[in-house]
Amino acid sequence: MYILNDSINFPPVSAANKDGLLAIGGDLSIPRLLLAYYSGIFPWYDDDQPILWFSPDPRMVLFPEDLRVSKSMRKLLRKNSFEVTFNKDFEQVINNCATISRSDQLGTWITSDMKRAYTVLHNKGYAVSVEVWEGSELVGGLYGIWLSDKKIFCGESMFSKVSNASKYGFIKLIEFLKIKGVRLIDCQVYTDHLASLGAKEISRDAFMKYLK
C-alpha cells in the first residue's frame, strides 16, 4: 500500500488492490485533487479514516448515448415538473449530499474537509452543481468535477428529497453536457440506481484511455 507524503504525486493506478484502493494519506489540496481526477483517481473515506484514494477496476461509466429515460421520467420532463439550475447553490447541494439519509450506508464520506476542498474547486470552475427545485424548495441535486479539456464529467454525489428529483437533474445535466461535447460520465462504482439510467462497467484500462 502506498503512503502519500507532501509531494504531489500518485503511484500508477495498476498498483491498486482488488477493492480499488491505491494510496493513503496526502491532502485535499487543489493541485492534488486535480492530479487525482486527471489520473483516474478519487478520494473516498470516512471522518475517522485517513484520506483514501481509489481507482477501481472495473469502472462504472455512462456514455451519453446510452442514457436510459423511462416512460414515467419522459412524462415528468414533458410537464417540466421541476426547475433545474446549474451552479446556483453549490454549497447547499453538497451539504444535502452529505446529510441526506441513505438506506445503504450508515454515515457520510463527504467530510467537512471534503466540503471545503470541493467548494474551492467550485470557485475555480472545476466542481459544478445541479439544483432541482420544486417552487422555491431545493428537492434534489448533484455535483461533480468537469474536466472540460477531456470532455469527462466525474460524478461525485446526488440527493433527492422527493421521488425522481435527482434522476431529473441528472438527465438535464447530460442534455447540457452534450452541447459541450461530453464523451463520458464517470460514475466511479456500480449501483443499481446508475445501472437503471444506462451506466455500465468497463475496464480501468479502457477508462484510462479517455484521460490520455
Side-chain angles (χ1 to χ4, degrees), residues 56-97:
D57 187 16
R59 190 85 168 211
M60 191 72 165
V61 303
L62 174 65
F63 295 101
E65 63 271 18
D66 292 340
L67 176 65
R68 192 179 302 146
V69 182
S70 67
K71 288 183 179 180
S72 59
M73 184 59 66
R74 291 183 191 277
K75 184 177 180 181
L76 291 176
L77 291 164
R78 284 196 302 270
K79 291 172 62 178
N80 293 314
S81 299
F82 301 102
E83 179 188 359
V84 175
T85 57
F86 299 96
N87 295 321
K88 183 175 182 179
D89 199 333
F90 182 88
E91 184 175 353
Q92 195 176 172
V93 168
I94 196 170
N95 283 337
N96 272 280
C97 286

mmCIF file of all heavy atoms in Angstrom, residues 56-97:
data_model
loop_
_atom_site.group_PDB
_atom_site.id
_atom_site.type_symbol
_atom_site.label_atom_id
_atom_site.label_comp_id
_atom_site.label_asym_id
_atom_site.label_seq_id
_atom_site.Cartn_x
_atom_site.Cartn_y
_atom_site.Cartn_z
ATOM 1 N N PRO A 56 -10.875 2.126 -9.036
ATOM 2 C CA PRO A 56 -11.433 0.772 -9.124
ATOM 3 C C PRO A 56 -11.347 0.176 -10.527
ATOM 4 O O PRO A 56 -11.281 0.883 -11.527
ATOM 5 C CB PRO A 56 -12.890 0.975 -8.710
ATOM 6 C CG PRO A 56 -13.185 2.404 -9.043
ATOM 7 C CD PRO A 56 -11.913 3.147 -8.818
ATOM 8 N N ASP A 57 -11.350 -1.135 -10.552
ATOM 9 C CA ASP A 57 -11.382 -1.894 -11.799
ATOM 10 C C ASP A 57 -12.332 -3.070 -11.583
ATOM 11 O O ASP A 57 -12.045 -3.947 -10.766
ATOM 12 C CB ASP A 57 -9.976 -2.401 -12.145
ATOM 13 C CG ASP A 57 -9.907 -3.062 -13.506
ATOM 14 O OD1 ASP A 57 -10.849 -2.875 -14.307
ATOM 15 O OD2 ASP A 57 -8.906 -3.758 -13.772
ATOM 16 N N PRO A 58 -13.511 -3.096 -12.245
ATOM 17 C CA PRO A 58 -13.918 -2.209 -13.335
ATOM 18 C C PRO A 58 -14.389 -0.845 -12.837
ATOM 19 O O PRO A 58 -14.506 -0.625 -11.634
ATOM 20 C CB PRO A 58 -15.066 -2.978 -13.985
ATOM 21 C CG PRO A 58 -15.656 -3.765 -12.853
ATOM 22 C CD PRO A 58 -14.490 -4.171 -12.000
ATOM 23 N N ARG A 59 -14.672 0.029 -13.815
ATOM 24 C CA ARG A 59 -15.115 1.395 -13.551
ATOM 25 C C ARG A 59 -16.530 1.572 -14.090
ATOM 26 O O ARG A 59 -16.833 1.168 -15.204
ATOM 27 C CB ARG A 59 -14.177 2.377 -14.261
ATOM 28 C CG ARG A 59 -14.373 3.845 -13.881
ATOM 29 C CD ARG A 59 -13.596 4.178 -12.634
ATOM 30 N NE ARG A 59 -13.528 5.610 -12.398
ATOM 31 C CZ ARG A 59 -12.494 6.203 -11.802
ATOM 32 N NH1 ARG A 59 -11.442 5.505 -11.429
ATOM 33 N NH2 ARG A 59 -12.500 7.496 -11.589
ATOM 34 N N MET A 60 -17.391 2.149 -13.279
ATOM 35 C CA MET A 60 -18.772 2.400 -13.706
ATOM 36 C C MET A 60 -18.817 3.714 -14.477
ATOM 37 O O MET A 60 -18.401 4.764 -13.958
ATOM 38 C CB MET A 60 -19.693 2.467 -12.488
ATOM 39 C CG MET A 60 -21.169 2.468 -12.810
ATOM 40 S SD MET A 60 -21.703 0.830 -13.372
ATOM 41 C CE MET A 60 -23.492 1.011 -13.213
ATOM 42 N N VAL A 61 -19.317 3.669 -15.704
ATOM 43 C CA VAL A 61 -19.372 4.873 -16.544
ATOM 44 C C VAL A 61 -20.710 4.909 -17.279
ATOM 45 O O VAL A 61 -21.394 3.898 -17.433
ATOM 46 C CB VAL A 61 -18.224 4.909 -17.581
ATOM 47 C CG1 VAL A 61 -16.857 4.828 -16.888
ATOM 48 C CG2 VAL A 61 -18.372 3.808 -18.618
ATOM 49 N N LEU A 62 -21.045 6.098 -17.747
ATOM 50 C CA LEU A 62 -22.213 6.255 -18.610
ATOM 51 C C LEU A 62 -21.784 6.989 -19.872
ATOM 52 O O LEU A 62 -21.271 8.113 -19.795
ATOM 53 C CB LEU A 62 -23.316 7.046 -17.904
ATOM 54 C CG LEU A 62 -24.539 7.393 -18.763
ATOM 55 C CD1 LEU A 62 -25.293 6.126 -19.171
ATOM 56 C CD2 LEU A 62 -25.467 8.356 -18.047
ATOM 57 N N PHE A 63 -21.977 6.353 -21.006
ATOM 58 C CA PHE A 63 -21.802 7.038 -22.279
ATOM 59 C C PHE A 63 -23.105 7.781 -22.567
ATOM 60 O O PHE A 63 -24.192 7.199 -22.437
ATOM 61 C CB PHE A 63 -21.478 6.035 -23.387
ATOM 62 C CG PHE A 63 -20.163 5.341 -23.190
ATOM 63 C CD1 PHE A 63 -20.111 4.048 -22.681
ATOM 64 C CD2 PHE A 63 -18.973 5.990 -23.492
ATOM 65 C CE1 PHE A 63 -18.901 3.411 -22.488
ATOM 66 C CE2 PHE A 63 -17.752 5.360 -23.299
ATOM 67 C CZ PHE A 63 -17.703 4.068 -22.798
ATOM 68 N N PRO A 64 -23.037 9.061 -22.925
ATOM 69 C CA PRO A 64 -24.258 9.863 -23.041
ATOM 70 C C PRO A 64 -25.296 9.260 -23.972
ATOM 71 O O PRO A 64 -26.499 9.374 -23.726
ATOM 72 C CB PRO A 64 -23.754 11.223 -23.540
ATOM 73 C CG PRO A 64 -22.354 11.010 -23.992
ATOM 74 C CD PRO A 64 -21.830 9.858 -23.209
ATOM 75 N N GLU A 65 -24.835 8.587 -25.026
ATOM 76 C CA GLU A 65 -25.790 7.989 -25.967
ATOM 77 C C GLU A 65 -26.517 6.786 -25.370
ATOM 78 O O GLU A 65 -27.537 6.320 -25.916
ATOM 79 C CB GLU A 65 -25.076 7.573 -27.259
ATOM 80 C CG GLU A 65 -24.011 6.513 -27.089
ATOM 81 C CD GLU A 65 -22.617 7.056 -26.787
ATOM 82 O OE1 GLU A 65 -22.532 8.237 -26.368
ATOM 83 O OE2 GLU A 65 -21.644 6.308 -26.981
ATOM 84 N N ASP A 66 -26.034 6.269 -24.238
ATOM 85 C CA ASP A 66 -26.660 5.118 -23.588
ATOM 86 C C ASP A 66 -27.657 5.511 -22.505
ATOM 87 O O ASP A 66 -28.243 4.637 -21.848
ATOM 88 C CB ASP A 66 -25.598 4.209 -22.966
ATOM 89 C CG ASP A 66 -24.729 3.509 -24.003
ATOM 90 O OD1 ASP A 66 -25.170 3.424 -25.165
ATOM 91 O OD2 ASP A 66 -23.624 3.064 -23.641
ATOM 92 N N LEU A 67 -27.831 6.801 -22.294
ATOM 93 C CA LEU A 67 -28.745 7.258 -21.239
ATOM 94 C C LEU A 67 -30.136 6.650 -21.437
ATOM 95 O O LEU A 67 -30.706 6.724 -22.520
ATOM 96 C CB LEU A 67 -28.842 8.781 -21.247
ATOM 97 C CG LEU A 67 -29.833 9.385 -20.246
ATOM 98 C CD1 LEU A 67 -29.397 9.103 -18.819
ATOM 99 C CD2 LEU A 67 -29.988 10.882 -20.487
ATOM 100 N N ARG A 68 -30.644 6.048 -20.386
ATOM 101 C CA ARG A 68 -31.934 5.386 -20.438
ATOM 102 C C ARG A 68 -32.960 6.226 -19.683
ATOM 103 O O ARG A 68 -32.813 6.470 -18.479
ATOM 104 C CB ARG A 68 -31.807 3.997 -19.819
ATOM 105 C CG ARG A 68 -32.985 3.066 -20.053
ATOM 106 C CD ARG A 68 -32.713 1.713 -19.414
ATOM 107 N NE ARG A 68 -31.495 1.099 -19.941
ATOM 108 C CZ ARG A 68 -30.672 0.338 -19.230
ATOM 109 N NH1 ARG A 68 -30.922 0.126 -17.949
ATOM 110 N NH2 ARG A 68 -29.596 -0.191 -19.777
ATOM 111 N N VAL A 69 -33.988 6.695 -20.387
ATOM 112 C CA VAL A 69 -35.024 7.535 -19.779
ATOM 113 C C VAL A 69 -36.339 6.768 -19.816
ATOM 114 O O VAL A 69 -36.847 6.441 -20.892
ATOM 115 C CB VAL A 69 -35.159 8.880 -20.529
ATOM 116 C CG1 VAL A 69 -36.200 9.755 -19.836
ATOM 117 C CG2 VAL A 69 -33.810 9.599 -20.594
ATOM 118 N N SER A 70 -36.889 6.478 -18.662
ATOM 119 C CA SER A 70 -38.123 5.699 -18.575
ATOM 120 C C SER A 70 -39.315 6.516 -19.073
ATOM 121 O O SER A 70 -39.262 7.747 -19.180
ATOM 122 C CB SER A 70 -38.364 5.263 -17.127
ATOM 123 O OG SER A 70 -38.632 6.401 -16.319
ATOM 124 N N LYS A 71 -40.416 5.816 -19.357
ATOM 125 C CA LYS A 71 -41.632 6.499 -19.809
ATOM 126 C C LYS A 71 -42.147 7.472 -18.755
ATOM 127 O O LYS A 71 -42.587 8.577 -19.072
ATOM 128 C CB LYS A 71 -42.715 5.463 -20.142
ATOM 129 C CG LYS A 71 -42.456 4.677 -21.415
ATOM 130 C CD LYS A 71 -43.612 3.719 -21.709
ATOM 131 C CE LYS A 71 -43.360 2.943 -22.994
ATOM 132 N NZ LYS A 71 -44.485 1.993 -23.285
ATOM 133 N N SER A 72 -42.087 7.049 -17.495
ATOM 134 C CA SER A 72 -42.567 7.932 -16.430
ATOM 135 C C SER A 72 -41.694 9.182 -16.320
ATOM 136 O O SER A 72 -42.210 10.284 -16.071
ATOM 137 C CB SER A 72 -42.591 7.181 -15.096
ATOM 138 O OG SER A 72 -41.297 6.703 -14.749
ATOM 139 N N MET A 73 -40.383 9.021 -16.532
ATOM 140 C CA MET A 73 -39.496 10.178 -16.481
ATOM 141 C C MET A 73 -39.727 11.093 -17.690
ATOM 142 O O MET A 73 -39.702 12.321 -17.564
ATOM 143 C CB MET A 73 -38.038 9.719 -16.418
ATOM 144 C CG MET A 73 -37.040 10.856 -16.277
ATOM 145 S SD MET A 73 -37.304 11.861 -14.790
ATOM 146 C CE MET A 73 -36.920 10.659 -13.518
ATOM 147 N N ARG A 74 -39.970 10.510 -18.844
ATOM 148 C CA ARG A 74 -40.274 11.328 -20.026
ATOM 149 C C ARG A 74 -41.508 12.189 -19.792
ATOM 150 O O ARG A 74 -41.572 13.343 -20.221
ATOM 151 C CB ARG A 74 -40.467 10.431 -21.254
ATOM 152 C CG ARG A 74 -39.195 9.754 -21.731
ATOM 153 C CD ARG A 74 -39.454 8.933 -22.998
ATOM 154 N NE ARG A 74 -38.327 8.084 -23.318
ATOM 155 C CZ ARG A 74 -37.247 8.496 -23.984
ATOM 156 N NH1 ARG A 74 -37.186 9.754 -24.389
ATOM 157 N NH2 ARG A 74 -36.264 7.665 -24.234
ATOM 158 N N LYS A 75 -42.475 11.611 -19.100
ATOM 159 C CA LYS A 75 -43.693 12.360 -18.784
ATOM 160 C C LYS A 75 -43.381 13.544 -17.878
ATOM 161 O O LYS A 75 -43.881 14.662 -18.093
ATOM 162 C CB LYS A 75 -44.711 11.428 -18.123
ATOM 163 C CG LYS A 75 -46.056 12.071 -17.846
ATOM 164 C CD LYS A 75 -47.028 11.056 -17.268
ATOM 165 C CE LYS A 75 -48.385 11.700 -16.993
ATOM 166 N NZ LYS A 75 -49.347 10.711 -16.408
ATOM 167 N N LEU A 76 -42.537 13.318 -16.874
ATOM 168 C CA LEU A 76 -42.147 14.414 -15.972
ATOM 169 C C LEU A 76 -41.396 15.505 -16.730
ATOM 170 O O LEU A 76 -41.599 16.705 -16.485
ATOM 171 C CB LEU A 76 -41.277 13.870 -14.845
ATOM 172 C CG LEU A 76 -41.942 12.969 -13.804
ATOM 173 C CD1 LEU A 76 -40.904 12.437 -12.830
ATOM 174 C CD2 LEU A 76 -43.043 13.712 -13.057
ATOM 175 N N LEU A 77 -40.533 15.100 -17.660
ATOM 176 C CA LEU A 77 -39.761 16.069 -18.434
ATOM 177 C C LEU A 77 -40.672 16.889 -19.351
ATOM 178 O O LEU A 77 -40.496 18.108 -19.487
ATOM 179 C CB LEU A 77 -38.687 15.345 -19.250
ATOM 180 C CG LEU A 77 -37.546 14.723 -18.439
ATOM 181 C CD1 LEU A 77 -36.771 13.714 -19.280
ATOM 182 C CD2 LEU A 77 -36.600 15.793 -17.910
ATOM 183 N N ARG A 78 -41.640 16.224 -19.964
ATOM 184 C CA ARG A 78 -42.580 16.952 -20.838
ATOM 185 C C ARG A 78 -43.395 17.968 -20.051
ATOM 186 O O ARG A 78 -43.718 19.050 -20.553
ATOM 187 C CB ARG A 78 -43.518 15.959 -21.539
ATOM 188 C CG ARG A 78 -42.892 15.191 -22.682
ATOM 189 C CD ARG A 78 -43.970 14.539 -23.551
ATOM 190 N NE ARG A 78 -44.838 13.637 -22.800
ATOM 191 C CZ ARG A 78 -44.597 12.343 -22.638
ATOM 192 N NH1 ARG A 78 -43.515 11.789 -23.183
ATOM 193 N NH2 ARG A 78 -45.440 11.593 -21.949
ATOM 194 N N LYS A 79 -43.709 17.622 -18.808
ATOM 195 C CA LYS A 79 -44.520 18.511 -17.967
ATOM 196 C C LYS A 79 -43.679 19.589 -17.273
ATOM 197 O O LYS A 79 -44.242 20.439 -16.589
ATOM 198 C CB LYS A 79 -45.241 17.681 -16.905
ATOM 199 C CG LYS A 79 -46.337 16.767 -17.456
ATOM 200 C CD LYS A 79 -46.862 15.829 -16.378
ATOM 201 C CE LYS A 79 -47.483 16.588 -15.230
ATOM 202 N NZ LYS A 79 -48.042 15.649 -14.194
ATOM 203 N N ASN A 80 -42.347 19.534 -17.470
ATOM 204 C CA ASN A 80 -41.446 20.469 -16.765
ATOM 205 C C ASN A 80 -41.764 20.457 -15.266
ATOM 206 O O ASN A 80 -41.978 21.508 -14.644
ATOM 207 C CB ASN A 80 -41.579 21.885 -17.330
ATOM 208 C CG ASN A 80 -41.081 21.984 -18.755
ATOM 209 O OD1 ASN A 80 -40.002 21.474 -19.084
ATOM 210 N ND2 ASN A 80 -41.847 22.623 -19.625
ATOM 211 N N SER A 81 -41.773 19.256 -14.709
ATOM 212 C CA SER A 81 -42.209 19.073 -13.330
ATOM 213 C C SER A 81 -41.314 19.765 -12.310
ATOM 214 O O SER A 81 -41.763 20.101 -11.210
ATOM 215 C CB SER A 81 -42.286 17.571 -13.014
ATOM 216 O OG SER A 81 -43.224 16.929 -13.855
ATOM 217 N N PHE A 82 -40.036 19.932 -12.649
ATOM 218 C CA PHE A 82 -39.100 20.616 -11.762
ATOM 219 C C PHE A 82 -38.382 21.715 -12.538
ATOM 220 O O PHE A 82 -38.281 21.656 -13.772
ATOM 221 C CB PHE A 82 -38.049 19.639 -11.213
ATOM 222 C CG PHE A 82 -38.609 18.482 -10.446
ATOM 223 C CD1 PHE A 82 -38.718 17.218 -11.034
ATOM 224 C CD2 PHE A 82 -39.011 18.626 -9.126
ATOM 225 C CE1 PHE A 82 -39.219 16.139 -10.327
ATOM 226 C CE2 PHE A 82 -39.512 17.558 -8.410
ATOM 227 C CZ PHE A 82 -39.625 16.302 -9.019
ATOM 228 N N GLU A 83 -37.869 22.674 -11.800
ATOM 229 C CA GLU A 83 -36.951 23.654 -12.385
ATOM 230 C C GLU A 83 -35.524 23.196 -12.092
ATOM 231 O O GLU A 83 -35.233 22.777 -10.961
ATOM 232 C CB GLU A 83 -37.174 25.045 -11.801
ATOM 233 C CG GLU A 83 -36.213 26.084 -12.375
ATOM 234 C CD GLU A 83 -36.297 27.427 -11.675
ATOM 235 O OE1 GLU A 83 -37.119 27.580 -10.752
ATOM 236 O OE2 GLU A 83 -35.511 28.324 -12.047
ATOM 237 N N VAL A 84 -34.659 23.269 -13.079
ATOM 238 C CA VAL A 84 -33.271 22.845 -12.908
ATOM 239 C C VAL A 84 -32.348 24.031 -13.163
ATOM 240 O O VAL A 84 -32.500 24.754 -14.158
ATOM 241 C CB VAL A 84 -32.918 21.689 -13.868
ATOM 242 C CG1 VAL A 84 -31.429 21.337 -13.761
ATOM 243 C CG2 VAL A 84 -33.767 20.462 -13.556
ATOM 244 N N THR A 85 -31.402 24.231 -12.253
ATOM 245 C CA THR A 85 -30.389 25.273 -12.415
ATOM 246 C C THR A 85 -29.007 24.648 -12.289
ATOM 247 O O THR A 85 -28.853 23.528 -11.797
ATOM 248 C CB THR A 85 -30.544 26.386 -11.359
ATOM 249 O OG1 THR A 85 -30.470 25.810 -10.040
ATOM 250 C CG2 THR A 85 -31.877 27.118 -11.528
ATOM 251 N N PHE A 86 -28.010 25.380 -12.744
ATOM 252 C CA PHE A 86 -26.630 24.929 -12.681
ATOM 253 C C PHE A 86 -25.797 25.957 -11.915
ATOM 254 O O PHE A 86 -25.847 27.161 -12.213
ATOM 255 C CB PHE A 86 -26.055 24.735 -14.083
ATOM 256 C CG PHE A 86 -26.777 23.700 -14.900
ATOM 257 C CD1 PHE A 86 -27.761 24.070 -15.801
ATOM 258 C CD2 PHE A 86 -26.501 22.350 -14.750
ATOM 259 C CE1 PHE A 86 -28.443 23.130 -16.545
ATOM 260 C CE2 PHE A 86 -27.176 21.390 -15.485
ATOM 261 C CZ PHE A 86 -28.154 21.782 -16.384
ATOM 262 N N ASN A 87 -25.058 25.462 -10.929
ATOM 263 C CA ASN A 87 -24.126 26.302 -10.165
ATOM 264 C C ASN A 87 -24.809 27.475 -9.459
ATOM 265 O O ASN A 87 -24.193 28.518 -9.242
ATOM 266 C CB ASN A 87 -23.010 26.834 -11.077
ATOM 267 C CG ASN A 87 -22.129 25.727 -11.609
ATOM 268 O OD1 ASN A 87 -21.808 24.786 -10.892
ATOM 269 N ND2 ASN A 87 -21.746 25.821 -12.881
ATOM 270 N N LYS A 88 -26.059 27.297 -9.090
ATOM 271 C CA LYS A 88 -26.766 28.359 -8.381
ATOM 272 C C LYS A 88 -26.505 28.306 -6.880
ATOM 273 O O LYS A 88 -26.433 29.345 -6.217
ATOM 274 C CB LYS A 88 -28.265 28.271 -8.654
ATOM 275 C CG LYS A 88 -29.071 29.398 -8.016
ATOM 276 C CD LYS A 88 -30.534 29.332 -8.410
ATOM 277 C CE LYS A 88 -31.311 30.491 -7.808
ATOM 278 N NZ LYS A 88 -32.752 30.456 -8.219
ATOM 279 N N ASP A 89 -26.371 27.086 -6.330
ATOM 280 C CA ASP A 89 -26.162 26.965 -4.880
ATOM 281 C C ASP A 89 -25.356 25.701 -4.589
ATOM 282 O O ASP A 89 -25.879 24.714 -4.064
ATOM 283 C CB ASP A 89 -27.497 26.932 -4.146
ATOM 284 C CG ASP A 89 -27.352 27.261 -2.661
ATOM 285 O OD1 ASP A 89 -26.259 27.013 -2.106
ATOM 286 O OD2 ASP A 89 -28.319 27.765 -2.061
ATOM 287 N N PHE A 90 -24.071 25.736 -4.961
ATOM 288 C CA PHE A 90 -23.207 24.573 -4.775
ATOM 289 C C PHE A 90 -23.155 24.154 -3.313
ATOM 290 O O PHE A 90 -23.217 22.953 -2.999
ATOM 291 C CB PHE A 90 -21.791 24.878 -5.280
ATOM 292 C CG PHE A 90 -20.846 23.720 -5.166
ATOM 293 C CD1 PHE A 90 -20.738 22.793 -6.195
ATOM 294 C CD2 PHE A 90 -20.051 23.532 -4.042
ATOM 295 C CE1 PHE A 90 -19.878 21.711 -6.106
ATOM 296 C CE2 PHE A 90 -19.189 22.460 -3.934
ATOM 297 C CZ PHE A 90 -19.103 21.549 -4.973
ATOM 298 N N GLU A 91 -23.066 25.127 -2.430
ATOM 299 C CA GLU A 91 -22.913 24.810 -1.001
ATOM 300 C C GLU A 91 -24.111 24.039 -0.477
ATOM 301 O O GLU A 91 -23.962 23.052 0.256
ATOM 302 C CB GLU A 91 -22.719 26.095 -0.197
ATOM 303 C CG GLU A 91 -22.449 25.843 1.281
ATOM 304 C CD GLU A 91 -22.144 27.115 2.051
ATOM 305 O OE1 GLU A 91 -22.010 28.183 1.405
ATOM 306 O OE2 GLU A 91 -22.046 27.034 3.281
ATOM 307 N N GLN A 92 -25.313 24.452 -0.873
ATOM 308 C CA GLN A 92 -26.500 23.753 -0.392
ATOM 309 C C GLN A 92 -26.575 22.337 -0.976
ATOM 310 O O GLN A 92 -27.005 21.401 -0.293
ATOM 311 C CB GLN A 92 -27.767 24.543 -0.746
ATOM 312 C CG GLN A 92 -28.984 24.063 0.020
ATOM 313 C CD GLN A 92 -30.241 24.866 -0.231
ATOM 314 O OE1 GLN A 92 -31.306 24.460 0.220
ATOM 315 N NE2 GLN A 92 -30.165 25.969 -0.947
ATOM 316 N N VAL A 93 -26.147 22.167 -2.215
ATOM 317 C CA VAL A 93 -26.157 20.841 -2.825
ATOM 318 C C VAL A 93 -25.210 19.900 -2.096
ATOM 319 O O VAL A 93 -25.584 18.788 -1.714
ATOM 320 C CB VAL A 93 -25.800 20.921 -4.326
ATOM 321 C CG1 VAL A 93 -25.529 19.515 -4.892
ATOM 322 C CG2 VAL A 93 -26.921 21.569 -5.112
ATOM 323 N N ILE A 94 -23.969 20.309 -1.885
ATOM 324 C CA ILE A 94 -23.006 19.409 -1.252
ATOM 325 C C ILE A 94 -23.389 19.140 0.205
ATOM 326 O O ILE A 94 -23.199 18.024 0.713
ATOM 327 C CB ILE A 94 -21.557 19.946 -1.381
ATOM 328 C CG1 ILE A 94 -20.560 18.819 -1.081
ATOM 329 C CG2 ILE A 94 -21.315 21.159 -0.507
ATOM 330 C CD1 ILE A 94 -19.118 19.183 -1.415
ATOM 331 N N ASN A 95 -23.979 20.125 0.881
ATOM 332 C CA ASN A 95 -24.433 19.891 2.248
ATOM 333 C C ASN A 95 -25.555 18.868 2.291
ATOM 334 O O ASN A 95 -25.600 18.003 3.173
ATOM 335 C CB ASN A 95 -24.894 21.202 2.886
ATOM 336 C CG ASN A 95 -23.737 22.083 3.325
ATOM 337 O OD1 ASN A 95 -22.633 21.593 3.561
ATOM 338 N ND2 ASN A 95 -23.971 23.380 3.424
ATOM 339 N N ASN A 96 -26.479 18.941 1.340
ATOM 340 C CA ASN A 96 -27.564 17.960 1.283
ATOM 341 C C ASN A 96 -27.037 16.575 0.937
ATOM 342 O O ASN A 96 -27.495 15.566 1.492
ATOM 343 C CB ASN A 96 -28.622 18.395 0.268
ATOM 344 C CG ASN A 96 -29.674 19.301 0.866
ATOM 345 O OD1 ASN A 96 -30.599 18.848 1.520
ATOM 346 N ND2 ASN A 96 -29.526 20.598 0.647
ATOM 347 N N CYS A 97 -26.076 16.509 0.010
ATOM 348 C CA CYS A 97 -25.475 15.216 -0.327
ATOM 349 C C CYS A 97 -24.810 14.592 0.900
ATOM 350 O O CYS A 97 -24.821 13.366 1.065
ATOM 351 C CB CYS A 97 -24.445 15.389 -1.451
ATOM 352 S SG CYS A 97 -25.158 15.680 -3.095
#
